[in-house]
Amino acid sequence: GAVVSQHPSWVICKSGTSVKIECRSLDFQATTMFWYRQFPKQSLMLMATSNEGSKATYEQGVEKDKFLINHASLTLSTLTVTSAHPEDSSFYICSASDRDAESYNEQFFGPGTRLTVL
Amino acid sequence: SQQGEEDPQALSIQEGENATMNCSYKTSINNLQWYRQNSGRGLVHLILIRSNEREKHSGRLRVTLDTSKKSSSLLITASRAADTASYFCAPDETDKLIFGTGTRLQVFP
């Protein structure tokens, strides 16, 4: 149980285009989803926290207009990188947790999406 | 926000040896979690230890927590080549995990 999927697993796009990444919890209701980015050989940096049905809370330094997050249902959150540039190339990882569950502290991670902006 | 700081940054050992990784953090926590990441993949949750616990076991994993020193350790016993990965600690203060830079473990067969 507690499986989180991401789609696509990798994407290559031209500079200036927008890219949408989906994060789905397959077998549980994710009241909260988190979005991280990770540069090579570095740690995961939390970008934002989203609760189902409400606006995402962004970490300091993360542009909310550039990284649009939607969490419209208990099983789906999307991250849209708008007007992507080469410096946005990174590994984006989502995670999900169920605050109503006994294991609410645990986050279940997706496999990640590798974004390359040319 | 706070960050777990892992030590060492990299560790190379032979199969069968034990691997110990340490983590330090800065403020009070509700719990501390350890995760594993294979190269280019997502994270796998290994173990969660609550602030009122001092030690926890899961298979070949042993985690300790010392809240007075704000530190934790992860011990992998009888390591295997398949244990090769990066290991991250993540102190949980307000249901938000802030990951450290991780320990890159290489286990040679």
Side-chain angles (χ1 to χ4, degrees):
Chain A
V3 177
V4 176
S5 69
Q6 276 184 245
H7 178 79
S9 56
W10 59 269
V11 57
I12 301 173
C13 69
K14 292 181 179 180
S15 186
T17 60
S18 294
V19 175
K20 180 184 283 188
I21 302 171
E22 293 185 348
C23 177
R24 292 181 185 273
S25 58
L26 299 184
D27 51 3
F28 71 102
Q29 294 185 327
T31 53
T32 305
M33 285 185 169
F34 304 85
W35 287 95
Y36 299 83
R37 65 186 298 181
Q38 184 181 34
F39 292 105
K41 296 186 179 180
Q42 293 189 26
S43 184
L44 278 73
M45 299 297 295
L46 179 64
M47 298 175 67
T49 303
S50 74
N51 293 297
E52 184 266 338
S54 60
K55 290 184 178 180
T57 302
Y58 290 81
E59 294 299 301
Q60 192 173 5
V62 178
E63 300 175 59
K64 60 180 65 178
D65 293 331
K66 181 169 183 62
F67 299 98
L68 301 179
I69 292 172
N70 182 278
H71 191 171
S73 78
L74 284 171
T75 59
L76 173 65
S77 176
T78 60
L79 167 68
T80 301
V81 183
T82 62
S83 187
H85 288 96
E87 57 266 30
D88 298 323
S89 298
S90 188
F91 193 53
Y92 292 86
I93 306 175
C94 74
S95 70
S97 68
D98 180 4
R99 292 190 182 275
D100 296 327
E102 193 173 316
S103 61
Y104 74 95
N105 292 118
E106 185 174 339
Q107 293 184 26
F108 302 96
F109 283 79
T113 296
R114 172 87 46 202
L115 171 63
T116 301
V117 185
L118 302 176
Chain B
S1 63
Q2 64 174 353
Q3 183 185 50
E5 295 287 341
E6 288 92 343
D7 173 63
Q9 291 188 334
L11 179 62
S12 294
I13 59 174
Q14 294 291 129
E15 257 188 335
E17 294 180 339
N18 296 340
T20 300
M21 290 159 265
N22 302 296
C23 168
S24 60
Y25 57 93
K26 297 174 183 173
T27 63
S28 298
I29 58 172
N30 294 323
N31 63 76
L32 186 143
Q33 303 181 40
W34 284 90
Y35 287 83
R36 163 198 168 122
Q37 184 182 34
N38 288 78
S39 181
R41 307 290 293 274
L43 272 70
V44 174
H45 181 264
L46 294 177
I47 198 163
L48 180 154
I49 186 164
R50 300 196 184 280
S51 60
N52 60 354
E53 297 177 308
R54 291 295 167 260
E55 188 171 311
K56 203 162 183 179
H57 296 254
S58 177
R60 292 184 296 114
L61 306 180
R62 173 178 167 255
V63 168
T64 64
L65 179 64
D66 187 335
T67 53
S68 66
K69 295 181 179 178
K70 293 185 169 57
S71 67
S72 174
S73 69
L74 170 67
L75 168 67
I76 303 174
T77 60
S79 64
R80 305 166 182 169
D83 294 329
T84 295
S86 290
Y87 292 82
F88 297 90
C89 75
D92 183 348
E93 180 184 3
T94 55
D95 298 334
K96 186 166 69 173
L97 301 179
I98 306 297
F99 289 85
T101 51
T103 294
R104 289 188 299 280
L105 174 66
Q106 174 91 52
V107 181
F108 292 99

